[in-house]
Amino acid sequence: MTFNLALIALLDGVSYASLLFLVAVGLTLIFGVLGVLNVAHGSLYAIGAYMAATIGSWMTAQGFSPWLTFPGMLIAALITGVVVGGLMERFLLRHIYDKDPILQLLITFAVFMILENVQRMVWGVQPYFMAEPLRALGNVRVLGIQYTAYQTLFLPGMALLTMFGLRYFLRNTLAGAKITAVTEDREAATSIGIDAKQVYFITFVIGACLAAMGGALATPTTSVLPGMGANMIVLSFAVAATAGLGNIEGALLAALMIGIARSFAIYIW
């Protein structure tokens, strides 16, 4: 492997790791607080990608500036996380928190299969792609290699912003303190007046928004196709298990390791 090829593999790995972290940290946050391994988390990633592609295509067709696709991706993630994630928590997960973990896995897997078919019904099986953010940011030169600024700077920046934002939220805000209290001891937190159901709902929506954000931000770098959620959830579980469920900083490091290893494996083999 030449130096240039190794550098490209490294940049690809860091870019993919940034997206992987966004999805995995939402998964690990949900499990750390709710105690539920949500297999349907991958569907939130995929729906976020489809929503971003849909909004971006509409903006392009209307003649809007390519820069507006950036807030468009954020809107897509929020809609997916709040609407789909909120409905999932309120009408399904809320009823299985105290059930056997195997039952939780089966139910969330069933939701995953249902949402996979919903995606095919709504968006079909043709690939979607949105390149406007890539064109808007252009390219940068890294040790003589031309690479997109979106993947080199923007995606890693979003991953770091998410990590520090989550740390600040959990450690320095009242809502974060409530989440931490419920995580440590639900009964004690409830006895002092904290609404555990509300905490669960907020936590799940935040995790769902992070998964959808990962999908939305992935749209400019890959084709949006049926089945993309399945691929991402497998690696997300690997990141969460490697980092330790509930460990935000560890999830970033594990995502970086797995993302780079995946990239080099693809380039070598």
Side-chain angles (χ1 to χ4, degrees), residues 71-131:
M73 291 188 289
L74 176 61
I75 292 170
L78 290 175
I79 291 174
T80 303
V82 173
V83 176
V84 181
L87 290 174
M88 190 186 303
E89 196 281 337
R90 176 62 182 83
F91 294 104
L92 179 63
L93 294 183
R94 185 168 295 187
H95 304 288
I96 64 171
Y97 287 143
D98 298 323
K99 303 297 183 182
D100 187 273
I102 299 299
L103 180 62
Q104 295 175 352
L105 282 172
L106 289 174
I107 290 176
T108 56
F109 179 73
V111 174
F112 171 78
M113 297 300 294
I114 292 169
L115 292 178
E116 284 288 299
N117 285 284
V118 168
Q119 293 164 40
R120 289 180 171 86
M121 290 173 60
V122 175
W123 287 285
V125 296
Q126 297 301 315
Y128 285 73
F129 189 71
M130 179 182 65

Side-chain angles (χ1 to χ4, degrees), residues 6 9 31 37 54 56-57 65 95 97 110 120 141 145 191 215 218 228 250:
F31 183 82
L37 278 173
T54 301
S57 298
S65 168
H95 304 288
Y97 287 143
R120 289 180 171 86
R141 184 175 291 275
I145 298 295
S191 68
M228 64 183 298

Side-chain angles (χ1 to χ4, degrees), residues 130-190:
M130 179 182 65
E132 283 72 22
L134 291 178
R135 299 193 189 103
L137 289 178
N139 296 329
V140 295
R141 184 175 291 275
V142 182
L143 298 178
I145 298 295
Q146 289 284 347
Y147 206 79
T148 65
Y150 182 86
Q151 293 171 279
T152 307
L153 302 175
F154 183 74
L155 291 182
M158 288 298 296
L160 290 174
L161 182 64
T162 299
M163 185 192 74
F164 288 115
L166 275 176
R167 285 184 59 186
Y168 181 84
F169 171 73
L170 292 173
R171 298 177 184 180
N172 298 281
T173 66
L174 179 59
K178 290 181 179 180
I179 291 173
T180 303
V182 172
T183 304
E184 294 295 331
D185 192 327
R186 176 183 175 180
E187 291 185 3
T190 304

